[in-house]
Amino acid sequence: MKKYIALILVTITVSCGKKKAETSVNNDPVIPVKVQKVVSNENASFISVSGVVQAESSADLSTRMMGFVNELYVKVGDKVTKGQLLLSINNSVLQAKKAQVEASIIKAETGLKNAEKDYNRFKNLFAQNSASQKEVDDMTARYEMAKASLQAATQMRNEINAQFAYTNIRAPFSGVVTNTFIDKGAMANPGMPLVSVEGKGGFEVLARVPETEISKIKQNTEVEVLIKSINKTIKGKVSEVSSSAKNTGGQYIVKVGLDKTDASILSGMFATVQFPVEKLNTSETTVRIPKSTIVEQGQLQGVYTVSQNNKALLRWLRLGRSFGDEVEVLSGLKAEETYILSADGKLYNGANISIQ
């Protein structure tokens, strides 16, 4: 009788344990999700690369002279006109050199006048057979040397005057001051950026294209440019295609001129440029999914899929090129498979889900 009672107690204990476990599983939160089936696309008819917006007319102004900054006449954001004085550098050394050159010119002019008088006098004496040929030749050489000395001094004055332009930095075109790199009293060095100015014209995108794609991009091709920060797509046209990647890390520079737009574009904004290209193989297909669905953990990238028993299953992917808001899936996901597009809660591997 005692054996039967013990057996019944064991059975009841095991049954209660199973019941408790099922209740725990059933009490896991169910996360509502929206799903979407993978749709295969024909071979992409465009190439998507990243770029940065810049003004079509822009300049970082510097000097060829070393000296202290006497005055900085502008600040960031100021509108300037072509030829307007932006910055002046102390030119006392040039002033001293100019005074020396002016003195050299006076000396050379005086020497030329004396040499010309002697030359003319000996020429007349030679005509009267009162001077030898050697004396005339000596006077001629002296006269030519005096002319050369004056010309050299005059050219040196032109050089000094040209250097004064590098002590007064002026706007090369009308536009806006976008940056200043030096303050009043600081030392300016040759080649050092001092003031940055951007013109009032349009904008362009500077894109870097890998060597595997550059041969497909042609000049004057119309493209679409997505400005990420303002979420605007703007039309543009390829204006320049670089033929060398020697100094750009294996990537080729392509400039795209943007069409005029009312969008609030600023230099430095990041952009995605989509270049249309001819299809290489009409039978080839690609799988693309929204970038917003990608889950990143360290170096790994994946997407949540739906298992047969309605649980979230994280699947790791190998991704390829970007196409606007979508990214190409090279492996890990096939056409007609279902992935989770969005969820009303934090997903995790094995989470209970309900498809909305």
Side-chain angles (χ1 to χ4, degrees), residues 22-187:
E22 291 174 1
T23 303
S24 176
V25 172
N26 293 334
N27 286 337
D28 285 348
V30 178
I31 303 174
V33 300
K34 292 182 179 179
V35 299
Q36 186 167 306
K37 281 192 175 183
V38 177
V39 179
S40 60
N41 300 279
E42 291 185 357
N43 185 40
S45 58
F46 59 87
I47 298 169
S48 182
V49 299
S50 298
V52 64
V53 177
Q54 65 180 21
E56 288 183 348
S57 300
S58 62
D60 291 334
L61 307 179
S62 60
T63 180
R64 292 173 58 182
M65 306 299 299
M66 178 181 290
F68 293 100
V69 175
N70 282 340
E71 194 66 51
L72 181 63
Y73 300 100
V74 293
K75 60 182 181 296
V76 175
D78 285 354
K79 294 182 179 180
V80 296
T81 57
K82 183 178 180 180
Q84 179 178 335
L85 183 61
L86 308 179
L87 176 146
S88 62
I89 299 173
N90 185 281
N91 59 8
S92 57
V93 174
L94 280 181
Q95 293 287 0
K97 288 184 178 180
K98 184 177 181 180
Q100 293 175 1
V101 170
E102 294 292 349
S104 298
I105 290 176
I106 294 174
K107 181 179 179 180
E109 287 175 343
T110 303
L112 178 61
K113 288 179 180 179
N114 291 331
E116 187 177 9
K117 289 179 181 178
D118 291 340
Y119 169 72
N120 291 330
R121 183 170 65 250
F122 271 85
K123 202 165 60 165
N124 292 331
L125 291 173
F126 179 76
Q128 299 171 4
N129 294 321
S130 299
S132 66
Q133 181 65 49
K134 184 179 183 309
E135 289 175 323
V136 173
D137 292 341
D138 290 343
M139 289 301 106
T140 302
R142 181 185 169 192
Y143 177 53
E144 294 297 332
M145 290 175 62
K147 287 197 294 186
S149 296
L150 178 59
Q151 185 177 6
T154 303
Q155 292 300 326
M156 189 173 293
R157 180 175 60 185
N158 294 337
E159 180 183 353
I160 294 295
N161 290 335
Q163 291 181 1
F164 274 101
Y166 296 104
T167 63
N168 295 309
I169 309 302
R170 299 181 181 274
F173 43 75
S174 299
V176 179
V177 176
T178 57
N179 207 347
T180 57
F181 303 96
I182 199 167
D183 297 319
K184 179 180 178 180
M187 175 66 76

Side-chain angles (χ1 to χ4, degrees), residues 191-320:
M192 169 185 173
L194 302 175
V195 180
S196 180
V197 180
E198 288 187 357
K200 295 181 179 180
F203 290 91
E204 63 184 9
V205 174
L206 195 69
R208 295 177 180 267
V209 180
E211 60 182 13
T212 55
E213 310 287 0
I214 189 63
S215 61
K216 306 170 188 174
I217 296 175
K218 307 300 180 184
Q219 196 167 1
N220 296 323
T221 301
E222 294 186 354
V223 301
E224 289 189 349
V225 179
L226 171 64
I227 310 296
K228 299 179 181 179
S229 57
I230 59 176
N231 196 27
K232 293 285 186 181
T233 300
I234 303 170
K235 298 287 186 181
K237 182 181 290 187
V238 176
S239 58
E240 294 182 23
V241 180
S242 173
S243 59
S244 174
K246 182 179 179 181
N247 299 318
T248 53
Q251 293 185 316
Y252 293 81
I253 301 298
V254 175
K255 287 186 179 181
V256 176
L258 298 180
D259 293 351
K260 290 185 178 181
T261 176
D262 294 332
S264 302
I265 304 175
L266 298 174
S267 293
M269 288 183 171
F270 291 102
T272 299
V273 185
Q274 295 181 349
F275 299 96
V277 296
E278 294 181 1
K279 297 180 181 180
L280 302 178
N281 184 358
T282 55
S283 63
E284 184 181 350
T285 60
T286 59
V287 170
R288 300 203 298 259
I289 60 175
K291 291 181 180 178
S292 58
T293 63
I294 300 298
V295 178
E296 296 186 0
Q297 292 185 11
Q299 300 293 328
L300 300 177
Q301 296 175 310
V303 68
Y304 280 107
T305 59
V306 179
S307 67
Q308 293 181 349
N309 54 351
N310 279 348
K311 291 183 181 295
L313 181 63
L314 181 57
R315 187 181 298 181
W316 300 117
L317 309 174
R318 186 164 68 92
L319 303 179

